[in-house]
Amino acid sequence: MAQTPAGHRRVESLGAGKAIAVLTSGGDAQGMNAAVRAVVRVGIYTGARVYFVYEVKPRLRGGGGGGREGRDGWMKRWMERWMDTEWGSLQGGTVIGSARCQDFRTREGRLKAARNLVKRGITNLCVIGGDGSLTGADTFRAEWSSLLADLVKGGGITVEEAKKSSHLNIVGMVGSIDNDFCGTDMTIGTDSALHRIMEIVDAITTTAQSHQRTFVLEVMGRHCGYLALITALASGADWVFIPESPPEDGWEDHLCRRLTETREGGSRLNIIIVAEGAIDRQGKAITSDDIKNLVVKRLGYDTRVTILGHVQRGGTPSAFDRILGSRMGVEAVMALLEGTPETPACVVSLSGNHAVRLPLMECVQVTKDVTTAMNEGRFDEALKLRGRSFQNNWNVYKLLAHIRPPSTKSGYTVAVLNVGAPAAGMNAAVRSTVRIGLIQGHRMLAVHDGFEGLAFGMVEEISWNRVGNWTGLGGSKLGTKRTLPKKYFEEISTNISKFGIHGLIIIGGFEALTGSLELMEGRTKYEELCIPLCIIPATVSNNVPGSDFSIGADTALNTITTTCDRIKQSAAGTKRRVFIIETMGGFCGYLATMAGLASGADAAYIYEENFSIRDLQVNVEHLTEKMKTTVKRGLVLRNERCNENYTTDFIYNLYSEEGKGIFDCRKNVLGHMQQGGSPTPFDRNFGTKMGAKAVTWITGKIKECSRHGRIFANTPDSACLLGMKKRSLVFQPITDLKEETDFEHRIPRQQWWLRLRPILKVLAKYHTELDTSEKASLEHITRKIPAPES
């Protein structure tokens, strides 16, 4: 059932006769190399000449010129040497160097930069950096005409050269681990920094529990508290300090009371997260040592301070940052080559899972407005300017960390269960569901072993402290099974009545959807099944209709990507070798496709895109030609159910036979390791927010369906799936999802990530068409800052 994207526009010749220069500026961020690699390869694909701008001496700020002495000068053309960007996806930092330069702030420095570009015929500049770098680039573009005039007047360039380079197109990509640039949900490097932070937090947690210690962790974020906030959500921290929302006066008493409650509840540790730019309401800095001294003096707790520092910038990029960098790099090239003298300088951004283009200076201005608002004590406005995603994260954190269950009860009972296969992040979703439910006054029940456990009465009341440390735990603490409920309707109905359950929150994969549809069918015969239910998608396969992402898929994707890195590394220094890797996913090719994009694979075979023996032969020949160059490694991914005849063994044998004398092959079936491990920061945070939103919805639905003390819900909208669709979390009646579902193959009929497959092929140097059917149009950030969700 191949899905061919419609609306292609041929772009292979879009860059003919044009030149693009790409540079990284400011602080480095993991994922920059993936972005550079994508710009280079897609630029070459369109027929453009592509140049690297290396770090320069004197150093530049904001993406300009200067001169690096040496054989190749400060720029290096990368036209015929495609394979020299092979490092791009897996290496951290930036291999072309990054710098901050005072020279470029002067007109003389910008004149040098303009001359260097004009002499090479470069009129398209891709700048990867923070707001300072992008502001400098915009200034450079605004002055371009006058710079050329001065250069012609001074004899630096000819009149003919000035005419050929009459205007300069600039497109920015934001590389910053702080996620401090307004207009984008995530900047390149942020996710990787969160990975480094959570690795340390998890390690510290074990030692803190051993000694009953309090740890104060300081993370980066001089002007933005995003890293601190997400770390607090993902680790279940007791407290977080961020510059956008300083604590109220008297916070010292509140903090000590909070830590005491946690200890008295049975916890052996306390975690406090501090952004390096944390301040109080008067603008005075709140330092890690201040907090440590307060805890020691007031409570006498054994307290340690850990300042993470530049380790947050280090290491290999996460799968998300590699894919983000690659997607943004493709979009940046398209924006440059489609640009006109009237097109404003733009920044390529991410909103949900959708690429957008935003006016560069609008984003820079709003980013500066945040700092101004904080300096003037307008903290509510600063939070609003950070955007809806930041506000939602902050609101969920405040609910979970600062509000306790009320003494008055709602009289409602909500049960939570896990269905299907284990997925990292399920426990974070359960924790959030339980605690938000308790905050709303509900009696919360935990059901063990899915629908089967509900049938057999494996149900218990669950408390606030019971789920205290579940955020970072992989697998499913409640236990999960694939059993469907239809054959247990009688027993399930009895137990719903016995335990007084008024609503169900089902966290799981495709079985959660099919099982819930069965429960709805059973409503006609069993009145007890007429209660509201909400599904939270959680499966490594990411195959649940109604949601672009499922809890657990990001963790599995990172596991595959890391494994591919290690497998490729094992071939370093050896003869040429091709690896055939089999991934999970059932009939869904999400993991194979996205891991292929993240790890720089040469091919990824999936069920959704039919392939024949001829396609396999083309791939083998393509790899054979690559291996005749400087390339020594190849990577081919195969989704486990992509084709019943072209098995992993078949593909391995085919490549081995055809590659004789040129390369040899190895194969690896990753198996259930993809379901294991600690959840990534994304899955922890995603599960936490999904659980909170699901409880809020089901509370409203129970009230809506309550009549004279009884709950009766039999309308389609009383059974919904909570999913992420492009930019929003939305509830959809599960009956509406039937038409969107291929039940035989357990996949949605339309899947957004299929549009990314041409990118994978282009980056692997195949002749194919890029899907430009969803061209990112220019939007305005001032229209993208709505009021926070309730």
Side-chain angles (χ1 to χ4, degrees):
M1 54 171 296
Q3 298 178 17
T4 304
H8 286 294
R9 179 166 48 88
R10 297 189 67 84
V11 295
E12 290 94 325
S13 59
L14 193 61
K18 299 178 181 179
I20 298 171
V22 57
L23 61 90
T24 53
S25 180
D28 66 297
Q30 308 98 313
M32 279 183 165
N33 285 330
V36 171
R37 171 178 177 265
V39 170
V40 171
R41 293 193 168 187
V42 176
I44 294 173
Y45 163 84
T46 64
R49 306 190 319 275
V50 185
Y51 292 83
F52 283 162
V53 182
Y54 287 95
E55 59 182 324
V56 291
K57 296 180 181 180
R59 293 181 175 178
L60 308 176
R61 180 170 182 86
R68 188 180 84 161
E69 300 301 326
R71 180 170 53 87
D72 294 314
W74 73 290
M75 286 188 173
K76 190 166 188 175
R77 182 175 167 190
W78 227 252
M79 181 63 178
E80 302 300 336
R81 301 184 61 186
W82 177 289
M83 296 309 166
D84 286 329
T85 56
E86 196 66 29
W87 37 261
S89 60
L90 59 86
Q91 191 166 329
T94 164
V95 297
I96 60 174
S98 186
R100 292 183 170 94
C101 169
Q102 299 302 319
D103 266 21
F104 194 68
R105 294 189 172 189
T106 67
R107 186 169 178 83
E108 182 182 354
R110 294 192 290 275
L111 280 168
K112 291 179 182 178
R115 182 179 182 278
N116 282 325
L117 292 177
V118 170
K119 287 295 183 182
R120 291 164 176 82
I122 297 170
T123 56
N124 298 283
L125 192 59
C126 180
V127 180
I128 309 171
D131 59 344
S133 303
L134 299 179
T135 300
D138 190 71
T139 301
F140 189 40
R141 188 195 193 214
E143 292 181 346
W144 185 253
S145 296
S146 64
L147 291 172
L148 296 191
D150 286 357
L151 287 170
V152 170
K153 186 177 180 179
I157 61 174
T158 66
V159 174
E160 185 63 27
E161 286 173 330
K163 286 181 179 179
K164 288 181 178 179
S165 304
S166 59
H167 73 276
L168 177 69
N169 290 325
I170 286 181
V171 171
M173 285 184 275
V174 189
S176 167
I177 69 167
D178 292 335
N179 202 31
D180 56 354
F181 194 80
C182 292
T184 183
D185 289 347
M186 289 284 276
T187 56
I188 296 171
T190 303
D191 188 68
S192 300
L194 286 169
H195 275 250
R196 300 293 90 76
I197 294 169
M198 289 313 306
E199 287 168 5
I200 295 167
V201 170
D202 287 347
I204 281 176
T205 297
T206 56
T207 182
Q209 288 178 326
S210 300
H211 297 278
Q212 296 193 52
R213 282 180 174 152
T214 296
F215 266 90
V216 182
L217 276 76
E218 182 179 304
V219 301
M220 284 185 171
R222 186 171 294 110
H223 302 294
C224 179
Y226 185 85
L227 289 179
L229 175 55
I230 301 303
T231 299
L233 272 173
S235 64
D238 297 286
W239 199 281
V240 65
F241 293 90
I242 62 172
E244 291 89 346
S245 185
E248 299 291 341
D249 293 342
W251 61 267
E252 296 89 346
D253 295 333
H254 190 182
L255 171 62
C256 292
R257 186 167 58 251
R258 176 81 179 88
L259 300 181
T260 303
E261 287 176 359
T262 303
R263 288 291 178 93
E264 290 176 349
S267 176
R268 297 177 59 85
L269 80 155
N270 297 113
I271 298 288
I272 301 169
I273 310 296
V274 189
E276 61 179 330
I279 55 176
D280 63 18
R281 288 277 161 177
Q282 286 70 47
K284 179 185 175 184
I286 299 176
T287 69
S288 302
D289 286 333
D290 291 339
I291 298 165
K292 174 190 173 181
N293 294 335
L294 171 69
V295 174
V296 171
K297 181 179 178 180
R298 293 271 194 99
L299 303 177
Y301 291 170
D302 186 4
T303 306
R304 299 286 190 274
V305 171
T306 300
I307 299 175
L308 301 190
H310 280 74
V311 69
Q312 296 160 87
R313 292 191 189 275
T316 58
S318 66
F320 178 90
D321 273 329
R322 301 183 197 199
I323 295 167
L324 176 64
S326 298
R327 290 182 66 186
M328 297 301 98
V330 173
E331 190 58 45
V333 172
M334 294 299 106
L336 281 172
L337 298 182
E338 292 166 0
T340 67
E342 292 74 36
T343 305
C346 74
V347 59
V348 176
S349 176
L350 185 74
S351 182
N353 71 343
H354 187 65
V356 296
R357 301 177 190 175
L358 300 170
L360 190 154
M361 289 314 296
E362 276 190 25
C363 296
V364 169
Q365 186 57 54
V366 175
T367 302
K368 291 179 177 178
D369 289 345
V370 175
T371 304
T372 301
M374 288 191 291
N375 291 338
E376 296 176 357
R378 294 179 283 112
F379 299 109
D380 288 342
E381 185 176 341
L383 276 172
K384 182 180 177 181
L385 290 169
R386 282 289 182 218
R388 186 177 65 184
S389 178
F390 193 100
Q391 292 175 84
N392 290 341
N393 285 321
W394 179 241
N395 291 335
V396 172
Y397 164 75
K398 287 193 297 182
L399 273 177
L400 291 171
H402 294 283
I403 298 177
R404 283 293 175 268
S407 55
T408 56
K409 301 300 180 183
S410 67
Y412 300 137
T413 298
V414 177
V416 57
L417 63 156
N418 295 340
V419 175
M426 276 183 164
N427 292 323
V430 172
R431 172 184 177 271
S432 175
T433 298
V434 169
R435 290 196 165 182
I436 298 297
L438 292 171
I439 286 169
Q440 295 189 2
H442 305 331
R443 173 170 166 258
M444 298 300 297
L445 301 181
V447 180
H448 297 272
D449 293 346
F451 290 122
E452 188 175 307
L454 184 57
F456 295 158
M458 299 171 66
V459 181
E460 64 171 334
E461 189 166 349
I462 191 163
S463 66
W464 180 280
N465 292 323
R466 172 79 178 279
V467 295
N469 64 343
W470 283 22
T471 308
L473 299 179
S476 167
K477 289 284 287 181
L478 296 183
T480 182
K481 289 190 175 182
R482 298 180 183 271
T483 309
L484 295 177
K486 197 167 189 175
K487 61 181 179 180
Y488 294 121
F489 277 167
E490 187 75 41
E491 295 85 352
I492 289 174
S493 299
T494 299
N495 282 323
I496 287 177
S497 178
K498 175 183 175 181
F499 292 100
I501 297 172
H502 300 114
L504 278 178
I505 294 180
I506 303 167
I507 304 168
F510 203 85
E511 289 85 0
L513 174 63
T514 53
S516 297
L517 286 169
E518 287 185 2
L519 289 177
M520 289 194 73
E521 291 175 12
R523 286 176 170 180
T524 57
K525 186 176 180 180
Y526 299 93
E527 189 175 312
E528 293 84 357
L529 300 181
C530 295
I531 58 174
L533 63 89
C534 181
I535 301 170
I536 298 176
T539 169
V540 301
S541 300
N542 199 35
N543 64 335
V544 180
S547 186
D548 292 342
F549 296 102
S550 296
I551 297 168
D554 185 70
T555 303
L557 179 58
N558 276 276
T559 299
I560 297 169
T561 303
T562 301
T563 304
C564 288
D565 287 351
R566 292 174 179 172
I567 287 173
K568 288 171 72 175
Q569 191 180 48
S570 72
T574 66
K575 59 184 178 181
R576 291 173 173 84
R577 182 164 290 167
V578 174
F579 297 95
I580 315 295
I581 311 294
E582 181 184 300
T583 69
M584 276 185 167
F587 286 98
C588 181
Y590 175 83
L591 289 179
T593 296
M594 302 304 270
L597 192 55
S599 58
D602 296 279
Y605 301 118
I606 63 171
Y607 167 77
E608 293 92 341
E609 189 174 278
N610 291 331
F611 60 96
S612 65
I613 190 66
R614 176 57 188 156
D615 296 313
L616 292 171
Q617 185 64 31
V618 168
N619 295 150
V620 172
E621 293 170 356
H622 186 77
L623 260 176
T624 301
E625 290 303 310
K626 272 189 176 182
M627 291 294 180
K628 292 177 181 178
T629 65
T630 57
V631 174
K632 294 186 177 181
R633 296 168 294 184
L635 180 67
V636 174
L637 298 178
R638 178 189 177 275
N639 167 242
E640 60 183 346
R641 303 291 294 275
C642 66
N643 190 293
E644 62 181 348
N645 295 313
Y646 300 141
T647 63
T648 301
D649 286 336
F650 178 93
I651 294 174
Y652 165 73
N653 291 332
L654 175 66
Y655 274 77
S656 297
E657 180 64 28
E658 297 298 318
K660 279 183 178 178
I662 301 171
F663 60 82
D664 64 1
C665 281
R666 296 290 186 273
K667 66 178 177 179
N668 197 312
V669 179
L670 300 186
H672 283 76
M673 67 182 293
Q674 296 160 84
Q675 290 181 337
S678 298
T680 59
F682 176 88
D683 278 330
R684 300 183 196 200
N685 184 34
F686 190 40
T688 298
K689 289 197 290 188
M690 294 281 272
K693 200 167 184 68
V695 173
T696 301
W697 177 86
I698 210 162
T699 300
K701 194 58 65 174
I702 290 173
K703 292 178 180 178
E704 180 185 316
C705 299
S706 180
R707 296 290 185 276
H708 309 296
R710 294 177 62 249
I711 309 297
F712 186 78
N714 67 344
T715 57
D717 66 353
S718 64
C720 285
L721 181 140
L722 172 59
M724 177 180 281
K725 300 294 288 184
K726 288 191 176 178
R727 306 181 186 184
S728 304
L729 293 178
V730 296
F731 292 92
Q732 300 164 87
I734 60 176
T735 51
D736 291 354
L737 297 176
K738 284 183 178 181
E739 295 300 317
E740 302 178 20
T741 307
D742 176 355
F743 284 96
E744 180 185 355
H745 299 101
R746 297 162 56 90
I747 55 175
R749 295 190 186 278
Q750 299 293 327
Q751 302 184 83
W752 67 271
W753 51 266
L754 285 170
R755 296 193 303 273
L756 303 185
R757 285 188 61 79
I759 296 176
L760 188 157
K761 295 175 184 178
V762 167
L763 295 181
K765 207 180 180 182
Y766 283 94
H767 295 290
T768 187
E769 289 186 35
L770 271 177
D771 180 9
T772 56
S773 57
E774 287 201 5
K775 176 183 173 183
S777 57
L778 193 67
E779 299 186 5
H780 292 276
I781 184 173
T782 51
R783 299 173 192 161
K784 286 169 56 63
I785 306 177
E789 293 182 8
S790 60

